[in-house]
Amino acid sequence: MTQPPTDPTQPAPNQPAPTQPVPTEPTAPGVPTPPSTPPAAPAPGENPVDPTQPVAPPAPVESPAPVEAPAAAPAPTATPAPAAPVAPPAPAVPAQPVPSSIDTPAPQDDKAKLLPFYLVCDVSHSMVESGALTEANNILPSLVQALEKDPIICDKVRFGVMDFSDDARMVLPLCDLLEQTTLPQLEGRGRTSYKAAFDLLRTQIERDVNQLKADGFAVHRPAVFFLSDGAPTDAEPDWKAAFAALTQYDKASGTGNRMYPNIIPFGLQGADPRILQEVIHPKNPPERAMRLFMADQDQTAASAGRSSGSWSTSPRAVRAGSTGA
């Protein structure tokens, strides 16, 4: 059976009619254009969205906080080794004789150096009979007068007085002579023991030098002004051995008396110069040698001491070295 021709403008049977476009009205600036398709119905529990309101921009997504790397585990601490046991302190070593300045340098401050000076006087009966003891007793007042005129020397010299006969005694310990209100008077007694004088000199010098150094001073080589009018009454081997113990020192081996003094003998009336020559120390080398003084009509013991420079700090008095550190 022939079908009638179809009208293209009419919908086909059983087909929905085409949707006509809905004209849109222009929107005001800033007002969003509503969607052409109606929004879907909100799901249960959701708030309905007003299509006329602007849609809020999505909240910015925060970057996740940086994850800190786990702290490194602390390095294992080494277990300290047990402390070694502390040894008990060694017993104190007795003080040894102080080395001379040949071995240890002296302080730069010259005011810190002192010269120990010993007046060693024979007080045997022959000294009384000859009148030499009276002369010897005039030496200390003469020294005080000389020191009052020279305070620089006074600051650098300490004086001690020793007498000897059968024995030896310190009648004035080492001191600043200007600080003494009274001076000792020498009195005659006994015979003439050089050995007693040299033995006491050795022990006294060692004691005095150590004390001065303990007080903070450097010490010049001690000087001894040895006054006598006669020959010793000791056996010659005895006094010479005592003299050697006082004066001998070997630097290379360190043996002997490191604090040996310079000795300047002075022969009073009737003294034998040949004996007193043996008491000079040192004798060599010539540039360091001490010398002998003998009394004569124009020279007393006091004037000889001043002229020899034995109680000064001049090079002549200390040229054999010093015991200062």
Side-chain angles (χ1 to χ4, degrees):
M1 173 182 231
T2 303
Q3 296 294 334
T6 60
D7 186 355
T9 62
Q10 296 298 321
N14 298 328
Q15 291 185 359
T19 302
Q20 298 296 323
V22 180
T24 59
E25 297 180 359
T27 58
V31 179
T33 303
S36 58
T37 305
E46 293 185 357
N47 293 328
V49 178
D50 186 353
T52 61
Q53 297 299 323
V55 179
V61 179
E62 295 184 359
S63 300
V67 179
E68 295 183 359
T77 304
T79 303
V86 179
V93 179
Q96 298 296 320
V98 179
S100 71
S101 62
I102 296 171
D103 304 314
T104 53
Q108 297 299 317
D109 183 3
D110 195 53
K111 291 182 180 179
K113 299 179 184 178
L114 292 179
L115 170 67
F117 176 87
Y118 298 88
L119 178 65
V120 179
C121 187
D122 178 359
V123 293
S124 62
H125 287 308
S126 61
M127 291 278 291
V128 178
E129 295 168 357
S130 66
L133 192 58
T134 300
E135 181 184 337
N137 274 319
N138 291 331
I139 291 179
L140 285 182
S142 177
L143 283 176
V144 171
Q145 294 173 7
L147 291 174
E148 288 175 339
K149 298 176 182 178
D150 197 338
I152 295 178
I153 290 181
C154 183
D155 287 342
K156 298 179 181 180
V157 181
R158 295 294 180 266
F159 286 88
V161 179
M162 176 188 299
D163 70 10
F164 70 96
S165 59
D166 296 317
D167 60 358
R169 307 177 304 181
M170 284 297 297
V171 296
L172 181 65
L174 205 66
C175 65
D176 183 339
L177 198 55
L178 293 185
E179 294 180 354
Q180 303 304 304
T181 56
T182 59
L183 298 176
Q185 285 292 306
L186 303 177
E187 298 178 356
R189 67 182 195 279
R191 296 180 298 173
T192 309
S193 174
Y194 280 17
K195 179 182 184 303
F198 298 148
D199 285 345
L200 181 57
L201 264 176
R202 181 177 182 181
T203 58
Q204 189 66 40
I205 287 174
E206 180 177 353
R207 183 182 302 115
D208 290 342
V209 168
N210 285 334
Q211 183 60 55
L212 290 173
K213 290 178 70 63
D215 292 340
F217 295 100
V219 184
H220 286 291
R221 179 74 56 196
V224 174
F225 197 48
F226 188 87
L227 289 82
S228 181
D229 72 336
T233 55
D234 308 290
E236 184 173 331
D238 292 343
W239 74 261
K240 284 190 173 182
F243 182 76
L246 172 65
T247 58
Q248 288 184 358
Y249 174 65
D250 181 64
K251 183 180 178 182
S253 64
T255 57
N257 181 21
R258 188 175 301 189
M259 301 181 202
Y260 66 87
N262 298 329
I263 302 179
I264 304 103
F266 183 86
L268 297 172
Q269 301 174 21
D272 185 346
R274 292 173 298 177
I275 297 292
L276 292 179
Q277 284 282 357
E278 297 188 49
V279 180
I280 297 173
H281 187 77
K283 298 182 179 68
N284 292 297
E287 64 273 11
R288 294 174 52 196
M290 298 293 105
R291 55 175 294 195
L292 166 68
F293 288 82
M294 295 294 293
D296 56 34
Q297 295 180 349
D298 300 323
Q299 189 175 46
T300 65
S303 64
R306 288 193 299 271
S307 64
S308 70
S310 57
W311 49 68
S312 76
T313 54
S314 65
R316 179 178 179 80
V318 297
R319 60 191 167 189
S322 74
T323 61

